[in-house]
Amino acid sequence: MTNKSNNGFNTWQKSFEKETKKNFNDAKSETDEGIDIKPVYTKDDIENFSFVENNSLPGQWPYTRGPKASMYTNRPWTIRQYAGFSTAEESNEFYKKNLESGQKGLSVAFDLPTHRGYDSDDDLVMGDVGKAGVAIDTVEDMKILFNNIPLDQMSVSMTMNGAVLPVLASFIVAGEEQGVDRSLLSGTIQNDILKEFMVRNTYIYPPEPSMKIVADIIEFTSKEMPKFNSISISGYHMQEAGADNVLELAYTLADGMEYVRAAMSKGLDVDDFAPRLSFFFAIGTDFFMEIAKLRAARTLWAKIMKDFGAKNERSLILRTHCQTSGVSLTEKDPYNNIIRTSYEALSAILGGTQSLHTNSYDEAIALPTDESARIARNTQLILQNETGVTKTVDPLAGSYFVENLTEELSKKAWDIITEIEELGGMTKAVKAGIPKLKIEESATKKQAKVDSGSRVVVGVNKYKNPKEPSVDVRVIDNNRVRDDQIKKIQAIKESRDTTAVEKALANLTNAAKDETNLLAPCIEAIKLRATVGEVSKALEQVYGRHFAKSLSVSGVYGKHFEGDQEFMKVENKIKEFENLNGRRPRVLVVKMGQDGHDRGAKIVATSFADMGFDVDMGPLFQSPKDVAKDAIENDVHAIGVSTLAAGHKTLVPELMKGLKEIDPKSKIIVFVGGIIPEQDYEFLYENNVSAIFGPGSNIIESAEKVIDLISDNLSKV
Amino acid sequence: MDLIDNILKGERAAIAKAITLVESSKESDQQVSRQMISELIKKPGKSIRVGFSGPPGVGKSTFIESFGSYLVSQNYKLGILAIDPSSQITGGSILGDKTRMVEISKNPNTFIRSTPSRGSLGGISMGTREASIILDAAGYDFIFIETVGVGQSEIVASNLVDIFTLIVGPGSGDELQGIKKGITEYADIFIVNKNDGELKIEASKTAADYKSALSYYKKLDELEKQVLLVSAIEQTGMEDVIKTINQIIDQNKLKGIFEERRANQLEYWIEEEVKNIITSDITKRLSSKGNISKYSEKVMKNEMSMFEAVETITKDTLK
Ligand code: B12
Ligand SMILES: Nc1nc2c(ncn2[C@@H]2O[C@H](COP(=O)(O)OP(=O)(O)OP(=O)(O)O)[C@@H](O)[C@H]2O)c(=O)[nH]1
Ligand SMILES: [Mg+2]
């Protein structure tokens, strides 16, 4: 007899309906993933599963309950905080302090020039050096970064994808020059290029050669670096870019399958490398969903790897790092972020992560200060030491709800994976731009929910703090960092054996022309003190640089606001504007410098277009000069600069200069949106910025302000 | 007008503002625009206007980026008018062409303007012809006009240019059966793009299909229509394209076809303008009288026939 037909359930249902005055069958709430959450789950809900197996145990097939039998009861997860800024010297100091305060593993954040394979002295990266991570130009910088940190004992994770070859080579050489053989190095290199094309945007070469590089690294590490994870297959960035959990899960695993195939195509046996594949997921605010996601990920991966013919048990097991969600954190009332992060961290732990980064409360303002980083770290220390969550493995197993959710997520993700496989795999899908567009659609929907108030964000669209606290921010003087780096580069270029370097670089270029593994010739060049930029260029000669072609969603935002008063008010203003001026208000939305955060820009562009603006969308990585040319040729009314990687103080004044250079009488006005610490507002206004829209800005309100300011500006003759 | 001098000097901002004027739906702008164009027409430059049309996603923008880079590397000045198809009926539009023309948009010898098509006939926007007159006067050697090939657009677009190019993708040869004879009359060059990687074989096959179809429709006195294979991404086949364009232009000039076309286009333009003025005038009269509903009621009540109503209204309006 099933539960639903028994008396107990019927009685419950009656009480429920009486209390809520709702029909039980209507009392569901739909998640972003399109899963209906019921008000109660029963034994019925854990029957007839096709993925989840009810009586499995931790460390056993299908590994839903965890990769290991003992999990945290033996050793807690690794507290691994992602950090890096300014010079190697300063980051090294920061790392050492953190390790003394209880952090267990390192995770290096590189600056954007390094990510994109440019040296600090390159003109293209003027505003970006040391700003959003640490600048590494040569192996000397890498050695400084790990000064007094023994690389045979410390596991080091490196978020590097585009310039993965020179950076991994520098790490290996730095180790060797510390006296540590490469076989003893432990840690992870992200090396996940597919999600760069989708959401993270620090690619350098086109998809095919990039995939070849990924495979080279898997091959090399599987042979020479047995303790090193060759890749960190990442869904994290997808969720941060706006993907719901099903998309994150499906695309990540589909990426994983593509990497497995790439490695096997090099003639490797699946068990030669699969145990060293690792994963990375985001943990957002949907508490149970996130737990279920980690459990589903392990379940599905085991199945996938079995299908690939893996025999070694370790090949079947998905091990993952997690990071709490940065995008769930707000600029407004920032101490709320400590609370959000705590819940997310708990979710990650209940889901059984192997290591964790917890974000700082100043996430939506700047890179963390020492103080905010301490609280973020302590969030994990408190979980480990005070709450008792480490004492039982997978404590939610058997929960009707969580098991059901795990199965539902698995099913939905599997459908998408199957679709992508039928399309020919993730590389093809990514080249066609499909996953990126789906993620942008999901991001736009989320924005619409927040802007319409149907999703509450405490302190942003409800329960606002009348007295916003002002917080300290970490300030990085990128001009000083850049000067320091340039001096170091010059000194190295003067002291190295130039002919040998040139020969090594030529070798590398040649190696890129055939199928040779590229890591060994990279190591040679790096050893001789070739720079990260030089190595990247040597490969660029053969592969070229990739420019993404951007597609845009349309109508998704507007659809959410059908009949909405505020939305229609803006629409009408735009119609009036058109009648008066003979054309619609035209705004150029741009990203300048190496900042690849395009979520905000894309959402603003599509929403503005839905309201009736003509929106010109610039490509990524534009220089201020190019933007000025673009703006003037298209005679736009305004430029909206979206800037999140802290280049604004360099790039915005350059843009203003560029406009005046082409047209001294230019009347184009400039708005800035994105991550702007309060302390910089005055500077921007002094540079003639017309308005600033920080994180959490309501897009409809922003649009109204933009149209008003454009109209004002036009009426001034 | 200052504006005219500045356009003739090739000043970027002036050209841009002038294009805004010709695109404007405001009556006062249109007046200024007409005056301006009348002046500029007297000072023709030397530009060759090339139209690129083709179905969405065949790589028109990528091709223009690639071919354009080749031209500017040969020191030509290049103006590009991209009619962006992404416009919606209700809302505004997202103009994303620049994300596909990253390299040439940086070049000081280019001028790139995107225009939302606003759903107007053939994807050609109001003002495209005038914009090319402006760019011509400003000294651009080549003016490219990118339009999406839907419906009647080829005909409209081909009426704006000296050479009309149809870009197609590998595999599109199958559609040839459906392609009307008309198209061969409007297009001077057929470019099969994406001749790279796995698509190479298919691309060659498509080119062959086009060639045989074209020879079938060829008129006696006509030049052989060229079918070219290119890869916009790998930047191959670009010399052939410029060579072919130059060849056709030279021959057309020699045979007087070049001038004849421009004359026909002028005629067409005049006709269009007259039609536009009449239509908008009549529309205004119609709506100011506002008596259509009166007649439709009568028709509903069977007091008069539909056609009687039409006739009466027409007579009334044209009075
Ligand atoms: C999402 C995110 C990512 C995603 C980006 C995905 C994508 N495709 O965009 C991923 C995970 C890939 C990522 C990566 C990195 N990130 Co990040 N990221 C964020 C995060 C968490 C949220 C940004 C976001 O998208 N918010 C949602 C959108 C909708 O909001 P928004 O962009 O702010 O836009 C709103 C307003 O600002 C305004 N607006 C914005 N633009 C415009 C334009 C106009 C015209 C108008 C009217 C309005 C407007 O309206 C929008 C709607 O409200 C922020 C922190 C935070 N909470 O803000 C860090 C943050 C921006 N990232 C940061 C860093 C350092 C990085 C990395 C460089 C790390 C590294 N060293 O590797 C990388 C590299 C990325 C790159 N290529 O540039 C730092 C930047 C530090 C700084 N500025 O000092 C931040 C601030 C986090 C932190 N505190 O450390 N990141
Ligand atoms: N393989 C291959 N792909 C190409 C080539 N040219 C363009 N593409 C791809 O085709 C897609 C569409 O290219 P676009 O240049 O935007 O095409 P379009 O015709 O301008 O598209 P619309 O303006 O939207 O009609 C992109 O994904 C390009 O990368 C080529 O030569 N070879
Ligand atoms: Mg195009």
Short mmCIF file of all heavy atoms in Angstrom, two decimals, chain A residues 217-238:
data_model
loop_
_atom_site.label_atom_id
_atom_site.label_comp_id
_atom_site.label_asym_id
_atom_site.label_seq_id
_atom_site.Cartn_x
_atom_site.Cartn_y
_atom_site.Cartn_z
N ILE A 217 47.96 18.93 -21.68
CA ILE A 217 48.22 19.04 -20.24
C ILE A 217 47.77 17.79 -19.50
O ILE A 217 48.46 17.29 -18.61
CB ILE A 217 47.59 20.33 -19.70
CG1 ILE A 217 48.48 21.48 -20.16
CG2 ILE A 217 47.47 20.31 -18.18
CD1 ILE A 217 47.97 22.85 -19.92
N ILE A 218 46.63 17.27 -19.90
CA ILE A 218 46.19 16.02 -19.27
C ILE A 218 47.22 14.92 -19.54
O ILE A 218 47.60 14.17 -18.63
CB ILE A 218 44.80 15.59 -19.80
CG1 ILE A 218 43.75 16.66 -19.44
CG2 ILE A 218 44.40 14.23 -19.24
CD1 ILE A 218 42.34 16.37 -19.96
N GLU A 219 47.70 14.87 -20.73
CA GLU A 219 48.69 13.84 -21.09
C GLU A 219 49.97 14.00 -20.27
O GLU A 219 50.46 13.05 -19.65
CB GLU A 219 49.01 13.93 -22.58
CG GLU A 219 49.99 12.86 -23.07
CD GLU A 219 50.37 13.04 -24.54
OE1 GLU A 219 50.49 14.19 -25.01
OE2 GLU A 219 50.56 12.01 -25.23
N PHE A 220 50.48 15.22 -20.26
CA PHE A 220 51.75 15.47 -19.57
C PHE A 220 51.64 15.16 -18.08
O PHE A 220 52.46 14.45 -17.52
CB PHE A 220 52.16 16.94 -19.78
CG PHE A 220 53.50 17.30 -19.19
CD1 PHE A 220 54.64 17.29 -19.98
CD2 PHE A 220 53.63 17.67 -17.85
CE1 PHE A 220 55.89 17.63 -19.45
CE2 PHE A 220 54.86 18.00 -17.31
CZ PHE A 220 56.00 17.98 -18.11
N THR A 221 50.60 15.70 -17.43
CA THR A 221 50.48 15.49 -15.98
C THR A 221 50.23 14.02 -15.66
O THR A 221 50.72 13.52 -14.65
CB THR A 221 49.35 16.34 -15.38
OG1 THR A 221 48.16 16.13 -16.14
CG2 THR A 221 49.70 17.82 -15.40
N SER A 222 49.49 13.33 -16.52
CA SER A 222 49.21 11.92 -16.20
C SER A 222 50.51 11.12 -16.24
O SER A 222 50.63 10.11 -15.55
CB SER A 222 48.18 11.34 -17.17
OG SER A 222 48.78 11.09 -18.42
N LYS A 223 51.47 11.59 -17.03
CA LYS A 223 52.72 10.85 -17.10
C LYS A 223 53.74 11.33 -16.08
O LYS A 223 54.49 10.54 -15.52
CB LYS A 223 53.31 10.97 -18.51
CG LYS A 223 52.49 10.17 -19.50
CD LYS A 223 53.00 10.27 -20.91
CE LYS A 223 52.15 9.38 -21.84
NZ LYS A 223 52.11 9.90 -23.21
N GLU A 224 53.77 12.64 -15.82
CA GLU A 224 54.87 13.16 -15.01
C GLU A 224 54.49 13.76 -13.67
O GLU A 224 55.36 14.05 -12.86
CB GLU A 224 55.63 14.22 -15.83
CG GLU A 224 56.03 13.68 -17.19
CD GLU A 224 57.32 14.28 -17.71
OE1 GLU A 224 58.08 14.86 -16.90
OE2 GLU A 224 57.53 14.19 -18.93
N MET A 225 53.21 14.01 -13.45
CA MET A 225 52.81 14.67 -12.20
C MET A 225 51.65 13.90 -11.56
O MET A 225 50.51 14.37 -11.55
CB MET A 225 52.42 16.13 -12.48
CG MET A 225 53.56 16.93 -13.09
SD MET A 225 53.03 18.52 -13.78
CE MET A 225 52.80 19.50 -12.30
N PRO A 226 51.95 12.76 -10.98
CA PRO A 226 50.89 11.86 -10.50
C PRO A 226 50.03 12.44 -9.39
O PRO A 226 48.92 11.97 -9.17
CB PRO A 226 51.66 10.64 -10.01
CG PRO A 226 53.04 11.13 -9.72
CD PRO A 226 53.30 12.21 -10.73
N LYS A 227 50.53 13.48 -8.69
CA LYS A 227 49.73 14.02 -7.58
C LYS A 227 48.95 15.27 -7.98
O LYS A 227 48.38 15.95 -7.14
CB LYS A 227 50.66 14.35 -6.40
CG LYS A 227 51.32 13.12 -5.79
CD LYS A 227 52.42 13.48 -4.82
CE LYS A 227 51.85 14.09 -3.54
NZ LYS A 227 52.96 14.43 -2.60
N PHE A 228 48.98 15.57 -9.25
CA PHE A 228 48.42 16.84 -9.70
C PHE A 228 47.13 16.63 -10.49
O PHE A 228 47.09 15.81 -11.41
CB PHE A 228 49.47 17.55 -10.57
CG PHE A 228 49.33 19.04 -10.59
CD1 PHE A 228 49.75 19.80 -9.51
CD2 PHE A 228 48.76 19.68 -11.67
CE1 PHE A 228 49.62 21.18 -9.52
CE2 PHE A 228 48.62 21.05 -11.70
CZ PHE A 228 49.05 21.81 -10.62
N ASN A 229 46.07 17.37 -10.14
CA ASN A 229 44.83 17.30 -10.91
C ASN A 229 45.01 18.07 -12.21
O ASN A 229 45.29 19.27 -12.19
CB ASN A 229 43.66 17.88 -10.13
CG ASN A 229 43.35 17.08 -8.87
OD1 ASN A 229 43.44 15.84 -8.88
ND2 ASN A 229 43.03 17.76 -7.80
N SER A 230 44.82 17.38 -13.31
CA SER A 230 45.12 17.97 -14.61
C SER A 230 44.08 18.95 -15.08
O SER A 230 44.30 19.71 -16.01
CB SER A 230 45.20 16.85 -15.64
OG SER A 230 44.00 16.10 -15.60
N ILE A 231 42.93 18.97 -14.44
CA ILE A 231 41.84 19.82 -14.90
C ILE A 231 40.84 19.99 -13.77
O ILE A 231 40.71 19.12 -12.91
CB ILE A 231 41.17 19.19 -16.15
CG1 ILE A 231 40.21 20.18 -16.82
CG2 ILE A 231 40.44 17.90 -15.80
CD1 ILE A 231 39.77 19.74 -18.20
N SER A 232 40.17 21.10 -13.76
CA SER A 232 39.09 21.29 -12.82
C SER A 232 37.87 21.69 -13.64
O SER A 232 37.73 22.83 -14.07
CB SER A 232 39.46 22.39 -11.82
OG SER A 232 38.35 22.76 -11.06
N ILE A 233 37.05 20.71 -13.90
CA ILE A 233 35.92 20.89 -14.83
C ILE A 233 34.86 21.70 -14.09
O ILE A 233 34.30 21.26 -13.09
CB ILE A 233 35.41 19.52 -15.30
CG1 ILE A 233 36.59 18.72 -15.90
CG2 ILE A 233 34.28 19.69 -16.31
CD1 ILE A 233 36.34 17.22 -15.96
N SER A 234 34.62 22.90 -14.59
CA SER A 234 33.97 23.90 -13.76
C SER A 234 32.58 24.29 -14.20
O SER A 234 32.37 24.79 -15.30
CB SER A 234 34.82 25.17 -13.73
OG SER A 234 36.15 24.88 -13.37
N GLY A 235 31.64 24.10 -13.29
CA GLY A 235 30.30 24.62 -13.49
C GLY A 235 30.13 25.93 -12.74
O GLY A 235 29.23 26.71 -13.04
N TYR A 236 31.02 26.13 -11.79
CA TYR A 236 30.93 27.32 -10.93
C TYR A 236 30.64 28.60 -11.71
O TYR A 236 29.72 29.35 -11.42
CB TYR A 236 32.24 27.46 -10.13
CG TYR A 236 32.41 28.82 -9.51
CD1 TYR A 236 31.71 29.15 -8.36
CD2 TYR A 236 33.22 29.79 -10.10
CE1 TYR A 236 31.83 30.42 -7.81
CE2 TYR A 236 33.34 31.05 -9.56
CZ TYR A 236 32.65 31.36 -8.41
OH TYR A 236 32.75 32.62 -7.89
N HIS A 237 31.47 28.82 -12.74
CA HIS A 237 31.36 30.08 -13.47
C HIS A 237 30.05 30.18 -14.23
O HIS A 237 29.56 31.27 -14.48
CB HIS A 237 32.53 30.21 -14.43
CG HIS A 237 33.85 29.89 -13.78
ND1 HIS A 237 34.31 28.59 -13.67
CD2 HIS A 237 34.76 30.67 -13.19
CE1 HIS A 237 35.46 28.59 -13.03
NE2 HIS A 237 35.77 29.83 -12.73
N MET A 238 29.51 29.02 -14.57
CA MET A 238 28.23 29.04 -15.29
C MET A 238 27.13 29.55 -14.37
O MET A 238 26.33 30.40 -14.74
CB MET A 238 27.88 27.64 -15.80
CG MET A 238 28.93 27.05 -16.72
SD MET A 238 28.43 25.39 -17.17
CE MET A 238 29.99 24.74 -17.77
#
